Amino acid sequence: MEQPLEHPWQPTDGEAGTAGADDGGMSENPYAGLVSRLRAAWLSRRTRPLEYRVAQLEALGRFLEEKKQDILEATALDMRKPPFEAEFSEVLLCKNELNEALNNLSRWMKDKHVDKNLATQLDSAFIRKDPYGVVLIIGPWNYPIYLLLVPLIGAIAAGNCVIIKPSELTKNSEKLIEEVLPKYLDKDCFAVVTAGVEETTRLLENKFDYIFFTGSPSVGRIIMTAAAKHLTPVTLELGGKNPCYVSDTCDVQNVARRVVWGRFFNAGQTCIAPEYVLCSVEMQEKLIPALREAITEFYGSEPRNSPDFGRIVGDKQFRRVQALLSSGRVAIGGQTDEKERYIAPTVLVDVKPSDPAMQEEIFGPILIIITVANIDEAIDFINSRERPLVVYAFSSNSKEVNQVLERTSSGGFCGNDTLMHVTLTSLPFGGIGFR
Ligand code: NAD
């Protein structure tokens, strides 16, 4: 049915985004002017045409191309992100997403005509892909460019105006986003706000039409509470504690290399990294030397000196991860250096499910091995905990991989590899909430 679209945020008299007598105190809010400026730009409909969206996306592509070196330098200064990792995760994955949007945008924007019933045969019934309006994107520090730009690409492609708020913990990346990115984008429609907790709290008092947050579950609750005041829809991309089942049938070298890559990439500060392996006692015995060999192959005999191994982002985060080393027994690694915020690629065994390292997301370079009697016990273990962002399963028997897929529930699943599913822009991404 053709109906004029009504937007839930449509301002009523006296609430047009600017200060008014009835604005619930928003006249005092330091960001009210910015939000209403963006809303006015959105209402002017300038972000709607295909050509406009393509031009902004192409400009974002030029930012990635021309400022690649600055991105590598900023992320290296922030957390000694290795250049290969930074180029792959902060630049190439964004370009992938950008190309996907540019290649498909005109198709995505088309109305989708739907089936009709007898009474509506002569009517026109369709789904219109309508932008939300003014979107707030809040990013974390672990992939400070990628996790801001990927949602930004989606928001631009969908015709929104956007405020992006980088993490204040990665100062160099934050500065690059604040000072350089706006030079590429339409300033009337896209803005960067740099803010710590206090300022972000004030920012969140404003009414947005969508909030896209990536970060920890505890802050996720704060974001959802702030959004609830305005009934604003949200996407919360939160943490994960991802299991990795390893069957006895595996090629152990192969598993070790793939698990080491996924776990120690970005010094373990990856929400979809495999956090703990579930395997038999026999497999654990074979896996430990194979993991040691893979770690040496990737990072040398002294990973501290490797240009390919990163650092923990801050002192507080370093101390939190370091404390988790007291769970169970160190089988590989375990060395730390607070001055450098270095924690060696570490494997812990004999960890009890009640130990701190199994009670919280590790978010650092520590892999846990937990032994189980068989695949059923592994699946029960996974299902007895919060649903993970990803479940990994390694087996040379595809029936076993499928069994784990069928009998567990998670945001994503990857068989016989780690992390690689995020390289596919054709796959959706995200978790499925907590139980
Ligand atoms: P965080 O929740 O501490 O911070 C994220 C953002 O929220 C930052 O921009 C920060 O400034 C802001 N923030 C912090 N406290 C706030 C408050 N009280 N009010 C309003 N805003 C506030 O997360 P982090 O430490 O930057 O990132 C690590 C977490 O992010 C981990 O839990 C990790 O698993 C998760 N993460 C999830 C994904 C995903 O896609 N699911 C990706 C990367 C990271």
Side-chain angles (χ1 to χ4, degrees), residues 138-142 147 165-168 195 197 200-201 204 213-217 219 222-223 237-240 271 361 363 389 429:
I138 299 180
W141 49 261
N142 60 333
L147 290 171
K165 209 287 299 165
S167 170
E168 72 281 24
V197 172
T200 311
T201 306
L204 283 163
F213 169 80
T214 307
S216 59
V219 179
I222 295 170
I223 304 295
E237 290 287 358
L238 307 177
C271 59
E361 183 185 21
F363 224 56
L389 258 183
F429 180 79

Side-chain angles (χ1 to χ4, degrees), residues 305-320:
N305 301 330
S306 168
D308 298 317
F309 188 69
R311 296 294 185 265
I312 304 297
V313 72
D315 295 336
K316 193 172 124 211
Q317 289 75 6
F318 172 87
R319 284 193 285 273
R320 186 189 62 76

